[in-house]
């Protein structure tokens, strides 16, 4: 059972607000044990315009899937000065999810930082991708340090800061059909970011709770590349494995921060011009039992063109609903395979749809 975010203390606001400032003492890290905090994927509108003394009303947005975004107690000797960690699985496509990837965080009077990341080496079968049970991928024990600023204190309207970091994820890969045996490959990411506080005002969550917030715009560029045995992998070969050499991805993220919260109250991103799923805090002081009962429900790629892949730890019947409320597809619990379900969407008209499983919903885009 993961320890989770410290209790959320939101302010109830009536009438006009005053611009707030967030200092180190207002940003709650490290976390404390025996508390649980739940976030949820928003299945409604996501974009919000910057402004001053604005009111951002999300009361009409409805909730989708519960997700786990938590800071835990630090356990790594590689990051002795860090204050918290989070686990961030990496999706390599084809149903291959690399686990045991941990990011580390700390803060001081000047800011909140990502200190670096650590990989606990682990082996994965590639049989589902290659059809050969002997094919495998091994991540290697790795610890990389950097001090990337997520927030700068004091945080107020007009504050801005920049940061960058460069990481490598080393692996060994065996694919018998092409004569690869423990070949060394590594994924490289070069990330550059600039952040600016572009708004302040009141935010009303779908739960009805409200708070005074600051709106932070993060403009980020990430360049992905892949190396093989110390040299850049041939671009054609890399493409066969789902990688693009020197692939440049642009993220525009808008995050809303309030006092005494170590995670954005609401956040959404635009990735290469495509809207991502927004997140918001559902409630405060959620019991550890309710946290344990939250199920994972993920849809990718989003936007989708040919097929949509769903992943969950608790399969159930699934409905795909268009924005007119009509059900356009229905899949049963028996059609899931090891927690995954493929839905063909190529024949659906382009547009927005809701994918619903039980009480959980996700908004997806079909191109």
């Amino acid at each position: 059972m993961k320890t989770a975010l410290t209790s959320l203390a939101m302010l109830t606001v009536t009438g006009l607000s005053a611009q707030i400032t967030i200092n180190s003492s207002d940003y709650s890290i490290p976390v404390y044990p025996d508390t649980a905090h739940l976030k949820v994927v928003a299945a409604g509108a996501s974009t919000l315009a910057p402004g001053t003394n604005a009111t951002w009303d999300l009361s009409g947005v409805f909730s989708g899937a519960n997700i786990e975004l938590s800071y835990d107690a630090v356990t790594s000797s590689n990051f002795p000065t860090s204050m918290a960690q989070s686990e961030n699985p990496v999706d390599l496509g084809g149903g291959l999810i690399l686990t045991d990837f941990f990011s580390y965080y700390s803060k001081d009077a000047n800011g909140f930082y990502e200190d670096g990341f650590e990989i606990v080496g682990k082996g994965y079968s590639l049989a589902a991708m290659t059809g050969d049970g002997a094919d495998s991928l091994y991540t290697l024990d790795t610890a990389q340090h950097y001090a990337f600023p997520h927030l700068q204190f004091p945080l107020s309207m007009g504050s801005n800061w920049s940061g960058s970091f460069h990481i490598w994820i080393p692996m060994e890969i065996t694919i018998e059909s092409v004569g690869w045996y423990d070949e060394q490959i590594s994924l490289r990411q070069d990330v550059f970011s600039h952040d600016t506080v572009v708004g302040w005002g009141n935010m009303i969550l779908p739960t009805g709770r409200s708070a005074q917030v600051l709106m932070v715009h993060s403009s980020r560029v990430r360049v992905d590349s892949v190396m093989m045995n110390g040299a850049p992998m041939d671009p054609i070969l890399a493409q066969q494995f789902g990688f693009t050499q020197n692939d440049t991805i642009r993220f525009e993220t808008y995050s809303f921060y309030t006092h005494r919260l170590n995670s954005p109250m609401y956040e959404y991103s635009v990735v290469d011009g495509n809207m991502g799923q927004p997140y918001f805090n559902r409630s405060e002081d959620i019991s550890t039992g309710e946290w344990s009962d939250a199920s994972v429900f993920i849809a990718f790629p989003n936007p989708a063109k040919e097929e949509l892949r769903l992943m969950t730890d608790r399969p159930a019947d699934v409905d795909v609903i268009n924005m007119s409320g009509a059900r356009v597809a229905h899949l049963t619990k028996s059609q899931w395979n090891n927690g995954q379900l493929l839905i063909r969407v190529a024949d659906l008209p382009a547009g927005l749809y809701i994918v619903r499983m039980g009480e959980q919903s996700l908004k997806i885009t079909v191109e």
Side-chain angles (χ1 to χ4, degrees):
M1 171 66 189
K2 281 174 165 281
T3 58
L5 295 173
T6 189
S7 299
L8 169 64
M10 290 184 179
L11 303 176
T12 300
V13 181
T14 58
L16 297 178
S17 67
Q19 180 186 348
I20 65 171
T21 298
I22 299 176
N23 293 294
S24 175
S25 59
D26 295 315
Y27 194 76
S28 302
I29 188 172
V31 296
Y32 302 95
D34 302 321
T35 63
H37 188 79
L38 206 58
K39 279 192 165 184
V40 74
V41 174
S46 53
T47 58
L48 297 173
T52 58
N53 199 21
T55 297
W56 295 288
D57 187 352
L58 299 175
S59 58
V61 174
F62 60 97
S63 60
N66 296 325
I67 60 173
E68 182 176 330
L69 289 177
S70 65
Y71 296 130
D72 305 322
V74 175
T75 58
S76 172
S77 60
N78 290 319
F79 293 86
T81 62
S82 295
M83 304 167 73
Q85 71 174 9
S86 66
E87 185 173 5
N88 304 303
V90 176
D91 180 8
L92 292 185
L96 183 61
I97 308 295
L98 304 188
T99 59
D100 296 324
F101 282 63
F102 300 93
S103 296
Y104 291 85
Y105 306 91
S106 63
K107 73 162 187 173
D108 58 24
N110 298 314
F112 168 61
Y113 305 93
E114 183 175 336
D115 299 329
F117 79 97
E118 178 181 40
I119 300 172
V120 179
K122 189 175 181 180
Y124 301 85
S125 172
L126 296 179
M129 299 175 67
T130 67
D132 189 335
D135 293 345
S136 62
L137 182 74
Y138 284 85
T139 55
L140 306 180
D141 288 342
T142 306
Q144 295 184 23
H145 294 78
Y146 45 84
F148 179 74
H150 284 282
L151 293 178
Q152 177 180 280
F153 302 127
L155 189 71
S156 58
M157 185 66 182
S159 296
N160 65 89
W161 62 96
S162 298
S164 64
F165 61 92
H166 314 277
I167 65 174
W168 293 263
I169 302 175
M171 296 175 284
E172 291 182 347
I173 188 169
T174 295
I175 301 181
E176 291 190 339
S177 61
V178 294
W180 287 2
Y181 296 93
D182 296 330
E183 301 288 346
Q184 302 289 316
I185 67 171
S186 65
L187 305 181
R188 172 171 173 152
Q189 291 184 343
D190 299 277
V191 180
F192 308 89
S193 180
H194 182 75
D195 295 70
T196 306
V197 181
V198 295
W200 63 271
N202 297 335
M203 170 161 282
I204 304 172
L205 288 179
T207 60
R209 300 188 66 86
S210 62
Q212 298 180 46
V213 294
L214 293 173
M215 182 185 199
V216 177
H217 172 221
S218 176
S219 182
R220 185 174 297 187
V221 176
R222 192 185 82 198
V223 181
D224 294 350
S225 55
V226 57
M227 310 290 286
M228 183 169 183
N229 296 328
M233 182 181 287
D234 178 87
I236 297 177
L237 181 60
Q239 199 167 40
Q240 292 177 344
F241 285 90
F243 305 120
T244 301
Q245 286 289 30
N246 300 316
D247 188 19
T248 300
I249 305 171
R250 290 174 171 81
F251 302 80
E252 302 294 331
T253 300
Y254 292 86
S255 307
F256 295 80
Y257 290 91
T258 188
H259 291 124
R260 308 305 302 168
L261 179 63
N262 55 5
S263 182
M265 181 175 167
Y266 179 79
E267 183 175 76
Y268 67 90
S269 295
V270 180
V271 182
D272 281 344
N274 297 313
M275 287 300 308
Q277 290 287 356
Y279 307 109
F280 65 88
N281 296 292
R282 189 168 67 88
S283 63
E284 62 180 273
D285 297 329
I286 292 177
S287 69
T288 55
E290 184 174 355
W291 178 264
S292 300
D293 289 341
S295 61
V296 176
F297 187 34
I298 300 171
F300 65 94
N302 190 8
K305 292 183 179 180
E306 300 293 332
E307 290 183 329
L308 180 73
R309 183 185 299 271
L310 304 183
M311 296 181 64
T312 186
D313 56 347
R314 300 181 188 178
D317 288 3
V318 171
D319 289 320
V320 181
I321 301 168
N322 65 22
M323 300 312 291
S324 298
R327 187 172 73 177
V328 296
H330 175 75
L331 298 98
T332 66
K333 180 179 179 180
S334 63
Q335 292 175 267
W336 288 83
N337 182 20
N338 294 323
Q340 298 192 42
L341 177 66
L342 285 178
I343 302 178
R344 180 168 175 79
V345 297
D347 297 330
L348 293 178
L352 297 176
Y353 294 84
I354 299 299
V355 178
R356 182 168 296 157
M357 183 184 71
E359 296 182 354
Q360 300 189 93
S361 300
L362 293 174
K363 181 178 71 174
I364 61 114
T365 300
V366 173
E367 293 184 335

